[in-house]
Amino acid sequence: MLRPRASGPGGAGKNYLNYLIPALEVGGFVFAMNQFNRHFIDEEEYGSNARTFWDNVTSSTVIDKDPFSINQIGHPYQGSIYYGFARSAGLSYWESLLYTLAGSFLWETYGETTRPSLNDHITTGIGGTFVGEALFRMASLLLEGGGGETPGFWRELGAALISLPTGFNRLDFGD
């Protein structure tokens, strides 16, 4: 089975799958979230298409006035999902940051029909790496605890609940 390689010192041992898999996961997550929001939340705001994508790519950014809970909790958590996909595929903090920024760009241009928001890019991209790294490390500590033994069901479940992308990638590719 094809799977990403664990990263050694200085990133040695990575293969193209370490970069391809999180790119596909981020794109798939944005698409799935857009489709859910489009069909169950608000078709007008999430009914994006090629025209709205092009309009968003060619327009200037705005500062939105979303509620605090969306801008300061929701966006960093969404960014942590993008970040977690990359980090759990064996990428470094800085490499994973690029996936978080790309995921934010993709959501702001494709995921919504409204103009891209500068404050959303910042809180999703930068805030997402801060939240994502903490969640990734907590999940890793839970999985690696126990003196080298293979983590049991409850530790695997706990780690997946802490960092959903880590749990997803472990389920797909093992450790």
Side-chain angles (χ1 to χ4, degrees):
M1 174 169 112
L2 289 175
R3 61 196 304 185
R5 290 188 190 139
S7 174
K14 291 180 190 173
N15 64 28
Y16 72 96
L17 292 174
N18 292 90
Y19 300 96
L20 177 63
I21 288 171
L24 295 174
E25 290 172 332
V26 168
F29 179 75
V30 168
F31 178 77
M33 193 164 53
N34 169 267
Q35 292 302 300
F36 177 85
N37 288 345
R38 177 185 303 211
H39 296 294
F40 298 106
I41 307 294
D42 182 357
E43 185 175 353
E44 186 175 324
E45 183 168 346
Y46 301 105
S48 55
N49 55 36
R51 184 189 56 75
T52 60
F53 172 76
W54 181 251
D55 290 346
N56 286 339
V57 168
T58 58
S59 68
S60 60
T61 59
V62 299
I63 303 293
D64 72 21
K65 296 188 181 1
D66 287 342
F68 179 86
S69 61
I70 298 294
N71 278 338
Q72 304 307 319
I73 298 171
H75 283 290
Y77 185 72
Q78 184 176 339
S80 79
I81 300 292
Y82 306 146
Y83 180 86
F85 282 133
R87 197 73 165 97
S88 63
L91 301 183
S92 71
Y93 174 87
W94 297 106
E95 291 168 323
S96 300
L97 167 66
L98 297 176
Y99 284 82
T100 308
L101 295 172
S104 177
F105 174 80
L106 187 58
W107 178 257
E108 289 293 316
T109 55
Y110 167 77
E112 302 174 311
T113 58
T114 56
R115 288 176 56 193
S117 167
L118 179 61
N119 53 318
D120 289 353
H121 280 304
I122 293 168
T123 59
T124 304
I126 306 303
T129 63
F130 296 156
V131 174
E133 182 68 14
L135 295 177
F136 174 75
R137 287 184 181 217
M138 285 189 289
S140 295
L141 283 173
L142 186 58
L143 291 167
E144 294 165 5
E149 63 188 50
T150 303
F153 171 78
W154 293 111
R155 285 184 20 218
E156 289 276 357
L157 179 62
L161 291 174
I162 292 169
S163 176
L164 293 174
T166 299
F168 180 79
N169 279 344
R170 283 183 67 83
L171 183 64
D172 274 352
F173 306 110
D175 58 338

